[in-house]
Amino acid sequence: MSAQSLPLWFDVATIEKALSRRNVPDAVELRDILDKSMQMEPLDLNEIVALMRVDDPAGHERILAVADEVKQKVYGDRMVLSAPLHLSNHCGSECLYCSNRRDNGLVERKYMTSPEMRQAALKIIRQGHKRIFLVSGQLPNADVDYLAEAISILYTVFDGVGEIHSVNVNVGPLEAAQYQTLLDAYVGTVLIYQDTYHEASYRAAHVAGPKSDYVKRLNAPDTAFAAGVPDVGLGILLGLGPWQFDLLALAQHATHLERVYDLGCRTVSLHRMRLAPGSLMDTPYPVSDADYLRCVALARLALPHSGIILTTKEPAGLWRDGCSAGASQLLTGSVANPYEGWALAPGQQVPFPLGEDCHVDEVVRFLLEEARHLPSFCAACPRLGRRGEEFLAMVRECGMKGQCSPNSAASFMEFLLHYATPYTRSMGERLLNEKLNKMSLHERGAADRLLKKVRAGCMDEFI
């Protein structure tokens, strides 16, 4: 039992009771649960656990297919691409699994300078990106002014064709005034990852520093919403705690936020634990590929209106399958993975990464060849100031799909014309024509009008 009081919304006993179920749902129960999902109704904890207990391949595939269909209803057949940007690895927390941990002497510590931020932003833009996720270590007194400055700088970088239109920030718990500083810089989504809701696992991994405060972390999204932040994203680090417990707790958390603030969580990030230089912890609860896909699908069914974010850190075949299991966004390109590929030399510090991890053209080509999804670089919502309640209202009414499809087609054509390799452009135009032929009459008309403008040299066209 925690020495601090857990928030009232966090009902561990109810989670454990739900997880005590061991029997497999029969055909009627499975049908009823999936039919409920198709009506865009969030699943309760008992229904989520029932789907966890499905153990036959046909039933598992059916769950993945319904999750993809729910995603299609909400967002259409597109995959939004964003680039992570690691600003700093200075950190005041000792999290045993993390390369940025305070006492790790293996890595070189660095803050990106303003010129380096501009250089990194240009690399990202020149791949075709319009969206960035900022990542940094967490100091005892979070350097919010540094983050706000980075946001402002990134919005001013222009490569002659493209620019950044949305900057999201991954931060720890802040005070109300600090959130306002980020809002004044026009931050996108504020990402506050619990990593694991399982208290024993959390405390075993986060042993010192600001991130060791388990309860403060649980309460951080409430503080952000109360401070006026319109869009908050949640996330779990799969493998740090039991994924089944974490998924139910995440659903509880999102339900609480929607009930109290009528906003819920804008996004849910699902990343698996990975070995990092100087890590002192192996993965306590390894998550298989099959369970990873099951978790992605169940997150979509539990939270039908949230954006589900995956990363190309996962093996190519796995994130591809995840894109067809309910995911709607993909992190890729730029300095997407600051750990993998770093050379470990005895007595030598691992340098802070400033180059690209993988080029987005490769990811787009893979999506076109294998997954057959429409890559999207659309930034219409941030351009229109569509946030919070306005954004969620459109998603709930499935009105986002009618705009996402044409806008995604236009943003993808911009990428093909200005940033894609010739081979990717040829493939992309063929797939785009296929997608256009499958759109509704209204969507096709809007898409054709936007594409005509893009082909005439216009940029950032949207409805």
Side-chain angles (χ1 to χ4, degrees), residues 141-262:
N141 296 311
D143 194 349
V144 176
D145 290 334
Y146 175 71
L147 291 175
E149 178 188 13
I151 295 169
S152 299
I153 287 172
L154 295 175
Y155 281 138
T156 65
V157 180
F158 180 57
D159 77 335
V161 178
E163 54 194 318
I164 300 299
H165 291 306
S166 178
V167 182
N168 305 317
V169 177
N170 182 355
V171 295
L174 302 177
E175 304 300 326
Q178 294 175 309
Y179 286 120
Q180 187 58 52
T181 298
L182 296 179
L183 290 172
D184 289 343
Y186 202 69
V187 69
T189 301
V190 175
L191 308 161
I192 308 172
Y193 299 160
Q194 186 65 29
D195 290 339
T196 180
Y197 289 85
H198 190 255
E199 184 171 1
S201 299
Y202 188 98
R203 295 189 183 281
H206 307 95
V207 297
K211 198 168 180 180
S212 65
D213 193 332
Y214 169 73
V215 174
K216 185 174 183 178
R217 195 89 179 180
L218 288 171
N219 287 322
D222 283 87
T223 304
F225 276 132
V229 175
D231 296 303
V232 171
L234 305 180
I236 49 180
L237 184 61
L238 295 169
L240 187 56
W243 74 265
Q244 298 91 337
F245 181 96
D246 280 336
L247 184 60
L248 295 191
L250 177 75
Q252 253 188 11
H253 200 172
T255 298
H256 155 74
L257 295 174
E258 187 161 355
R259 181 175 62 249
V260 174
Y261 305 100
D262 197 31

Side-chain angles (χ1 to χ4, degrees), residues 47-341:
E47 290 165 333
I48 298 171
V49 173
L51 297 184
M52 289 179 180
R53 301 303 179 231
V54 173
D55 59 0
D56 65 290
H60 180 60
E61 289 301 318
R62 188 176 173 195
I63 291 171
L64 299 185
V66 170
D68 183 55
E69 195 166 345
V70 169
K71 177 261 179 179
Q72 300 267 357
K73 280 189 172 184
V74 179
Y75 292 110
D77 183 19
R78 57 70 165 152
M79 189 63 52
V80 173
L81 302 180
S82 302
L85 175 58
H86 295 259
L87 289 176
S88 168
N89 58 2
H90 285 275
C91 191
S93 292
E94 182 66 4
C95 307
L96 301 183
Y97 57 88
C98 183
S99 183
N100 292 347
R101 64 183 180 82
R102 181 189 63 195
D103 298 337
N104 185 10
L106 179 63
V107 298
E108 174 189 325
R109 302 291 175 170
K110 182 176 179 59
Y111 285 105
M112 268 195 181
T113 63
S114 297
E116 287 170 336
M117 292 178 195
R118 293 182 181 278
Q119 178 189 22
L122 279 172
K123 289 180 179 179
I124 291 170
I125 293 169
R126 286 168 180 163
Q127 291 189 45
H129 280 296
K130 300 176 186 289
R131 297 167 174 263
I132 286 180
F133 278 57
L134 291 186
V135 184
S136 65
Q138 297 177 17
L139 296 171
N141 296 311
D143 194 349
V144 176
D145 290 334
Y146 175 71
L147 291 175
E149 178 188 13
I151 295 169
S152 299
I153 287 172
L154 295 175
Y155 281 138
T156 65
V157 180
F158 180 57
D159 77 335
V161 178
E163 54 194 318
I164 300 299
H165 291 306
S166 178
V167 182
N168 305 317
V169 177
N170 182 355
V171 295
L174 302 177
E175 304 300 326
Q178 294 175 309
Y179 286 120
Q180 187 58 52
T181 298
L182 296 179
L183 290 172
D184 289 343
Y186 202 69
V187 69
T189 301
V190 175
L191 308 161
I192 308 172
Y193 299 160
Q194 186 65 29
D195 290 339
T196 180
Y197 289 85
H198 190 255
E199 184 171 1
S201 299
Y202 188 98
R203 295 189 183 281
H206 307 95
V207 297
K211 198 168 180 180
S212 65
D213 193 332
Y214 169 73
V215 174
K216 185 174 183 178
R217 195 89 179 180
L218 288 171
N219 287 322
D222 283 87
T223 304
F225 276 132
V229 175
D231 296 303
V232 171
L234 305 180
I236 49 180
L237 184 61
L238 295 169
L240 187 56
W243 74 265
Q244 298 91 337
F245 181 96
D246 280 336
L247 184 60
L248 295 191
L250 177 75
Q252 253 188 11
H253 200 172
T255 298
H256 155 74
L257 295 174
E258 187 161 355
R259 181 175 62 249
V260 174
Y261 305 100
D262 197 31
L263 289 172
C265 56
R266 176 75 176 259
T267 59
V268 173
S269 296
L270 299 174
H271 306 330
R272 285 195 297 187
M273 215 173 144
R274 297 173 64 83
L275 182 64
S279 169
L280 299 179
M281 174 181 279
D282 294 327
T283 303
Y285 297 90
V287 178
S288 68
D289 290 357
D291 279 344
Y292 175 76
L293 293 177
R294 185 189 298 266
C295 186
V296 172
L298 295 184
R300 168 56 64 203
L301 299 180
L303 305 170
H305 302 119
S306 295
I308 306 298
I309 304 175
L310 308 186
T311 171
T312 54
K313 292 179 188 178
E314 296 295 342
L318 189 60
W319 63 253
R320 176 202 67 190
D321 291 341
C323 291
S324 298
S328 55
Q329 299 186 39
L330 193 62
L331 291 181
T332 184
S334 183
V335 285
N337 184 356
Y339 308 133
E340 189 173 19

Side-chain angles (χ1 to χ4, degrees), residues 35 57 129 239 298 319 353 374 434 459:
D35 284 349
H129 280 296
L298 295 184
W319 63 253
L374 184 64
E434 291 178 20
M459 289 290 292

